[in-house]
């Protein structure tokens, strides 16, 4: 089987949700290309290296995502944290800070979705 013919990951996986987000953004872009371009440029600029490193910007974004209960962003920014070299403990500390503001709802996302993403994304099945 060619690589591009491989089936999508399971519907409960982080990879599946990342693919769904990218596909949804692509479809949205078909109808709203100027808005999509502006949004992508804005976020690219916000997350680029500056006085705050890209790593810490991802940790900040993860904390905000957890607090706001945005599951797609939680998955996306957990991956961003891992891609920027965050350790599991750094990510879990960000969960704790978010829970300090968001209480049990934030903590529940951290002890379930974030930890599941870390496990899956650090141990991809081939």
């Amino acid at each position: 089987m060619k690589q591009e013919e491989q089936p999508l990951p399971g519907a409960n996986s982080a990879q599946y949700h990342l693919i769904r987000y990218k596909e949804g953004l692509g479809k949205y872009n078909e109808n709203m290309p100027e808005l999509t371009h502006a949004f992508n440029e804005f976020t690219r600029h916000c997350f680029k290296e500056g006085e705050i490193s890209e790593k810490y910007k991802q940790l900040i974004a993860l904390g905000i995502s957890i607090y706001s209960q945005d599951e797609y962003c939680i998955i996306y920014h957990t991956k961003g944290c891992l891609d920027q070299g965050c350790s599991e403990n750094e990510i879990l500390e960000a969960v704790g800070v978010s829970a300090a503001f968001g209480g049990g709802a934030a903590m529940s996302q951290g002890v379930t979705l974030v930890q599941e993403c870390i496990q899956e994304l650090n141990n991809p099945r081939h």
Side-chain angles (χ1 to χ4, degrees):
M1 181 183 292
K2 294 179 185 175
Q3 188 168 4
E4 63 269 12
E5 294 175 2
Q6 291 179 358
L8 287 176
N12 288 331
S13 77
Q15 291 292 346
Y16 174 80
H17 291 292
L18 291 169
I19 291 167
R20 284 198 60 219
Y21 173 78
K22 289 179 182 179
E23 288 175 346
L25 189 59
K27 288 178 185 176
Y28 187 84
N29 184 56
E30 290 173 11
N31 293 313
M32 304 296 291
E34 290 178 17
L35 192 146
T36 304
H37 175 75
F39 176 78
N40 287 339
E41 283 299 303
F42 173 71
T43 57
R44 183 188 64 74
H45 195 75
C46 290
F47 280 88
K48 75 179 185 177
E49 193 83 21
E51 293 297 316
I52 300 173
S53 71
E54 291 179 56
K55 175 181 176 177
Y56 291 118
K57 288 180 179 188
Q58 286 295 331
L59 286 165
I60 292 166
L62 177 60
I64 293 167
S65 300
I66 293 168
Y67 178 80
S68 65
Q69 299 289 297
D70 184 335
E71 290 187 358
Y72 281 98
C73 285
I74 292 169
I75 293 167
Y76 187 85
H77 292 294
T78 299
K79 181 180 184 329
C81 287
L82 294 169
D83 290 348
Q84 289 299 319
C86 293
S87 70
E88 183 173 350
N89 281 345
E90 287 175 312
I91 293 169
L92 296 179
E93 284 186 25
V95 167
V97 171
S98 185
F101 284 89
M107 185 63 127
S108 69
Q109 293 288 11
V111 301
T112 57
L113 185 55
V114 172
Q115 290 187 126
E116 290 165 5
C117 288
I118 292 169
Q119 181 65 31
E120 178 187 334
L121 297 171
N122 274 338
N123 301 301
R125 294 184 181 113
H126 296 285

